[in-house]
């Protein structure tokens, strides 16, 4: 579903990604861990072309992200073409990014109506189904300010799901939440995994990675340091840098 080949990304003189190679299979739950500044979130944002890579190749479901290839050269797609491909990729951010002037159900409806051109009636029906799926059917008429952080994040997940994506990206979705609210969001993500959604999750929740993840990658300083099955990496890390990091978070 996702293939990265020698992906590099710089911001000015700062070299953030230094040749990332990895693959994510359909229906896989792929967890990315590592210290702040290691490049995890930048890589996630490159997958849906929110950030443009400087070198390498990145494809989703067999299609290059943000580019087309012609006679061995890559040409950047126009914004409209990028947006069309991005519709298949749902993203849930650390901060919820809900529209404050819209109710929960209006937030979930907005993209299908504006981007896909769906009728409001169809979009509202699906939005109600998505809110029910994340356990918030009774909050459809509430504004974000009337919801807890965990509830807002579940609305954000419902909003991403309303576009019927083939891939879901989660950028530390629980790190801005009070500890008692984390479980509800992780439960929704576990349900998605059980339903076969392909997911890439940047997380500090090692329990989630151990329980739900199919693959785990530890990144540091813009490179993949270690990868493998989450339980094996977490229980028996092979690299000294991985051991050092896990000793502080487990």
């Amino acid at each position: 579903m996702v293939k990265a080949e020698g992906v590099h990304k710089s911001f000015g003189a700062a070299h953030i990604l230094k040749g990332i190679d990895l693959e994510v299979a359909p229906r896989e739950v792929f967890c990315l861990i590592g210290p702040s500044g290691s490049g995890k979130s930048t890589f996630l944002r490159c997958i849906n072309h929110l950030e443009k890579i400087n070198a390498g190749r990145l494809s989703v479901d067999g299609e290059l992200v943000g580019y087309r290839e012609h006679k061995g050269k890559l040409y950047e797609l126009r914004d409209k073409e990028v947006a069309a491909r991005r519709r298949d990729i749902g993203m849930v951010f650390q901060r919820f990014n809900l529209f404050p002037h819209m109710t929960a159900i209006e937030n979930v409806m907005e993209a299908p109506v504006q981007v896909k051109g769906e009728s409001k009636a169809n979009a509202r029906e699906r939005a109600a189904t998505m809110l029910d799926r994340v356990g918030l059917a009774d909050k459809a008429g509430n504004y974000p300010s009337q919801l807890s952080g965990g509830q807002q994040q579940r609305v954000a997940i419902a909003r991403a799901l309303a576009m019927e994506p083939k891939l879901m990206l989660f950028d530390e979705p629980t790190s801005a939440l009070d500890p008692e609210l984390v479980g509800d969001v992780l439960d929704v993500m576990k349900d998605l995994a059980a339903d076969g959604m392909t997911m890439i999750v940047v997380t500090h929740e090692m329990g989630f990675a151990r329980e739900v993840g199919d693959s785990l990658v530890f990144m540091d300083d813009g490179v993949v340091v270690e990868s493998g099955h989450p339980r094996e990496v977490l229980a028996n890390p092979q690299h000294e840098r991985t051991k050092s990091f896990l000793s502080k978070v487990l």
Side-chain angles (χ1 to χ4, degrees):
M1 180 63 75
V2 179
K3 186 173 185 179
E5 303 171 273
V7 171
H8 288 257
K9 173 63 184 176
S10 296
F11 294 102
H15 198 175
I16 306 300
L17 300 177
K18 303 172 182 176
I20 301 295
D21 294 292
L22 55 80
E23 292 187 23
V24 181
R27 304 176 67 89
E28 185 173 5
V29 179
F30 191 97
C31 297
L32 281 169
I33 66 169
S36 296
S38 58
K40 309 180 304 295
S41 294
T42 297
F43 177 67
L44 210 65
R45 292 171 65 85
C46 288
I47 292 174
N48 63 0
H49 208 58
L50 288 176
E51 300 290 354
K52 301 174 185 179
I53 64 175
N54 299 112
R57 291 167 182 264
L58 194 49
S59 59
V60 173
D61 200 21
E63 288 194 328
L64 287 171
V65 174
Y67 300 90
R68 61 180 175 84
E69 187 171 8
H70 181 66
K71 295 182 178 178
K73 288 188 176 183
L74 296 183
Y75 298 88
E76 189 168 4
L77 297 174
R78 291 175 295 181
D79 289 346
K80 193 172 184 179
E81 295 171 301
V82 172
R85 292 191 181 182
R86 195 180 281 147
R87 287 189 299 191
D88 292 330
I89 306 172
M91 187 159 184
V92 178
F93 298 88
Q94 186 173 345
R95 298 288 173 182
F96 325 119
N97 293 344
L98 298 178
F99 295 115
H101 63 290
M102 295 183 179
T103 62
I105 198 165
E106 288 169 344
N107 265 283
V108 178
M109 290 171 56
E110 183 70 2
V113 171
Q114 297 297 334
V115 179
K116 284 189 168 181
E118 284 190 19
S119 71
K120 287 193 174 182
N122 285 350
R124 180 174 289 273
E125 185 176 340
R126 176 148 7 93
T129 301
M130 293 301 132
L131 286 174
D132 184 48
R133 185 174 183 182
V134 300
L136 291 175
D138 60 332
K139 302 293 185 183
N142 288 40
Y143 289 91
S145 61
Q146 299 169 315
L147 302 172
S148 71
Q151 290 169 335
Q152 290 185 62
Q153 192 60 295
R154 283 187 279 156
V155 172
I157 294 173
R159 177 180 60 184
L161 292 175
M163 291 293 285
E164 300 178 313
K166 60 180 71 169
L167 169 67
M168 285 283 283
L169 309 176
F170 292 88
D171 189 7
E172 298 187 21
T174 59
S175 63
L177 303 179
D178 292 332
E180 71 240 31
L181 302 176
V182 168
D184 290 339
V185 173
L186 292 181
D187 285 344
V188 170
M189 294 170 65
K190 290 174 187 175
D191 288 343
L192 286 178
D195 288 344
M197 174 64 74
T198 308
M199 299 161 60
I200 302 179
V201 186
V202 172
T203 186
H204 294 298
E205 300 290 340
M206 301 304 160
F208 173 85
R210 184 186 294 110
E211 181 183 344
V212 184
D214 299 301
S215 300
L216 183 142
V217 159
F218 172 66
M219 286 180 63
D220 186 38
D221 196 27
V223 299
V224 173
V225 176
E226 190 166 340
S227 62
H229 191 278
R231 292 180 185 175
E232 294 171 7
V233 175
L234 295 174
N236 188 28
Q238 299 299 301
H239 195 282
E240 287 302 322
R241 183 66 187 93
T242 317
K243 292 177 183 177
S244 172
F245 174 78
L246 291 176
S247 71
K248 295 179 175 68
V249 299
L250 288 178

